[in-house]
Amino acid sequence: MSILRSFTAALLGLGVFAGPALADGHLDAAVKARKAHMQLYAFNLGQLGGMAKGEIDYDAAAAGAAAANLADLAAMNQARYWPEGSDNFAMGEETRTLPALWDNIDDVMKISGDLEEATTALASAAGQDLDSLRAALGDVGKACGACHEDYRQSND
Amino acid sequence: MERLFLFLLILATAGALGFWLVTRPVTADPDALTGLTGDAARGAAVFHAGGCAGCHAAPDAEDEARLVLAGGRRFESPYGTFVAPNISPDPEHGIGGWDTLDLVNAMQHGVSPGGAHYYPAFPYTSYARASVQDVVDLKAYLDTLPADATPNAPHEIGFPFNIRRSLGAWKRLFGDDGWVVAGDGLSPEALRGRYLAESLGHCGECHTPRGALGQLDMAAWLGGAANPAGDGRIPNITPGGLDWSEGDIAAYLETGFTPEYDVVGGEMAEVVENLSQLPREDLAAIAAYLKAVPAVE
């Protein structure tokens, strides 16, 4: 009995510790890819946000280009960024994506559609003038936030 | 023996009388409304600054549906679960039957039209600092919103917190409608920000730590607190914890983007959704105020 018990405990222990350690290479690559994708959003948003805050002079061409990049990024097919098993429960510190994302794919796709819509609207507004840019930026933030709120582990 | 009994009786009566006096609901003087008329357009700004929809819209309501104040959202706390009531203009299930004084008493004194104390999950301790004119304007605006006949669900609060009368004593101990941050030395912009942040915006309700009885720890005003929902910590937004520029703060409240272009999360997403409807000057004013708050390290 006690041998069986320690055997079971050992198995459980293996399972717990091996989970993160044995994470597939393709999962690591997917997490890296989606983080890079997020960084590209942030880089382009930085240009627009800087103008909205008045830290960068408004420039219609530069604003239009950054917003067009965002719309392109939002429209990209991201299926391979999000393989099952690449959640923070399975992979630990490497990612903050909650397992709930895979349980709510319909909602995630809806939010992704909202982001496409918001960035498309931003792409046509950003080059017009600063006020149009500012007005369109909020909806983009809302779409980003909608996904992060439900499917990303909070930072603190 | 008889004298001892008499003594105890007097003591008990005095105790009961004391409890009755200390816990008695205190309401507004009806004359406070004399000469005030409500402006629904101004009331809309009060509504957004106060974040009413954040609690009173139906759970998961989005966009226009957030103006249907059907209630039903649940708030977990160490005392039990509070359920936001219906405050739509429905005469039976909402507050359609209220007059303006009822709303002033509810928002600024935490007292229902029937004379019962509300739980301070409803942030009347903050709203108490608002001007009566703002509440009068808000009433005019609330009256324009769609009615909804969703019945109220009861709070799920255990003993002894379910004795509402005792909240009267809590209010006497901890209710304080004075400003937290002294006004001398604040610019007119920061004063406007103080008004928005300390009264309508009720920032302190989440960002200030609470003591054993649920009272705010004013010495650590806006210094960050445990999340009553149990997930993580609500951040310190004094200069001791937040090094963003005023422009960064105002932009965050307007668009939800942090200076690194990450986005607002958790309950704050809802707050940004409300605040983003305010004039930009008001958001800049809140930012100016936050820079003037004493730093909590």
Side-chain angles (χ1 to χ4, degrees):
Chain A
M1 183 62 197
S2 87
I3 292 179
L4 186 64
R5 196 177 282 176
S6 22
F7 181 68
T8 316
L11 267 188
L12 279 175
L14 264 184
V16 168
F17 296 112
L22 293 182
D24 269 312
H26 86 278
L27 295 180
D28 291 334
V31 169
K32 267 193 200 138
R34 69 199 190 208
K35 283 187 177 171
H37 194 84
M38 297 294 168
Q39 218 157 7
L40 290 176
Y41 281 130
F43 183 69
N44 287 287
L45 280 165
Q47 178 87 358
L48 300 170
M51 290 181 193
K53 275 188 245 180
E55 289 167 355
I56 307 173
D57 286 337
Y58 176 73
D59 173 327
N69 282 351
L70 288 174
D72 288 347
L73 286 165
M76 277 172 65
N77 184 318
Q78 299 187 28
R80 289 185 58 238
Y81 291 178
W82 308 94
E84 287 221 34
S86 64
D87 55 83
N88 70 335
F89 190 74
M91 300 185 69
E93 297 279 288
E94 203 174 324
T95 176
R96 288 161 63 198
T97 311
L98 296 167
L101 181 132
W102 286 270
D103 299 333
N104 297 282
I105 292 295
D106 288 350
D107 185 46
V108 173
M109 292 315 289
K110 187 205 157 282
I111 296 170
S112 152
D114 291 347
L115 181 65
E116 265 192 79
E117 215 172 285
T119 48
T120 306
L122 180 66
S124 58
Q128 286 172 26
D129 55 60
L130 187 55
D131 277 337
S132 312
L133 159 65
R134 294 175 88 147
L137 207 50
D139 278 343
V140 176
K142 229 157 104 181
C144 299
C147 211
H148 290 168
E149 194 175 350
D150 289 342
Y151 306 116
R152 183 176 68 167
Q153 179 69 50
S154 65
N155 232 347
D156 31 38
Chain B
M1 191 65 193
E2 215 166 274
R3 285 175 69 168
L4 179 66
F5 176 75
L6 197 65
F7 175 71
L8 286 176
L9 187 72
I10 289 170
L11 201 67
T13 312
L17 188 71
F19 181 80
W20 184 84
L21 276 173
V22 164
T23 62
R24 200 165 32 123
V26 179
T27 52
D29 179 353
D31 291 343
L33 298 182
T34 310
L36 301 182
T37 50
D39 176 328
R42 283 181 34 89
V46 176
F47 178 80
H48 296 307
C52 311
C55 291
H56 291 282
D60 300 323
E62 283 178 44
D63 304 322
E64 286 296 293
R66 296 178 76 251
L67 297 180
V68 183
L69 304 175
R73 199 172 152 191
R74 299 168 62 82
F75 297 88
E76 282 162 38
S77 81
Y79 314 100
T81 300
F82 297 98
V83 187
N86 182 336
I87 61 162
S88 80
D90 186 85
E92 189 185 345
H93 299 291
I95 61 170
W98 288 23
D99 61 21
T100 304
L101 187 64
D102 290 333
L103 188 67
V104 171
N105 280 327
M107 285 184 61
Q108 307 206 275
H109 298 273
V111 176
S112 77
H117 293 297
Y118 288 124
Y119 288 103
F122 174 30
Y124 51 78
T125 44
S126 294
Y127 293 155
R129 300 186 184 104
S131 71
V132 175
Q133 179 64 59
D134 269 0
V135 182
V136 173
D137 289 337
L138 176 63
K139 176 71 168 77
Y141 176 70
L142 289 176
D143 286 344
T144 69
L145 296 179
D148 179 280
T150 306
N152 284 329
H155 299 313
E156 293 154 25
I157 305 297
F159 183 82
F161 305 110
N162 56 358
I163 306 172
R164 281 186 185 250
R165 185 81 195 194
S166 59
L167 288 165
W170 188 90
K171 287 183 193 173
R172 269 176 205 281
L173 282 171
F174 305 121
D176 177 5
D177 60 5
W179 299 108
V180 182
V181 176
D184 34 307
L186 293 189
S187 66
E189 188 185 32
L191 281 173
R192 170 69 181 158
R194 179 179 73 167
Y195 178 78
L196 290 165
E198 293 191 10
S199 72
L200 299 176
H202 62 279
C203 310
E205 301 282 344
C206 290
H207 286 280
T208 301
R210 290 180 184 271
L213 293 173
Q215 79 280 21
L216 294 180
D217 175 4
M218 294 303 185
W221 179 247
L222 302 183
N227 184 348
D231 180 23
R233 266 186 82 77
I234 295 165
N236 179 346
I237 54 171
T238 71
L242 189 66
D243 60 1
W244 299 359
S245 73
E246 283 184 36
D248 287 341
I249 296 170
Y252 172 78
L253 297 176
E254 184 186 348
T255 63
F257 287 114
T258 69
E260 293 79 35
Y261 296 94
D262 195 346
V263 280
V264 57
E267 301 299 313
M268 195 62 196
E270 180 91 55
V271 177
V272 167
E273 182 152 14
N274 298 326
L275 291 182
S276 63
Q277 322 233 16
L278 294 185
R280 217 168 279 145
E281 300 75 56
D282 277 348
L283 303 181
I286 294 174
Y289 165 76
L290 288 178
K291 284 291 169 190
V293 168
V296 176
E297 299 299 337

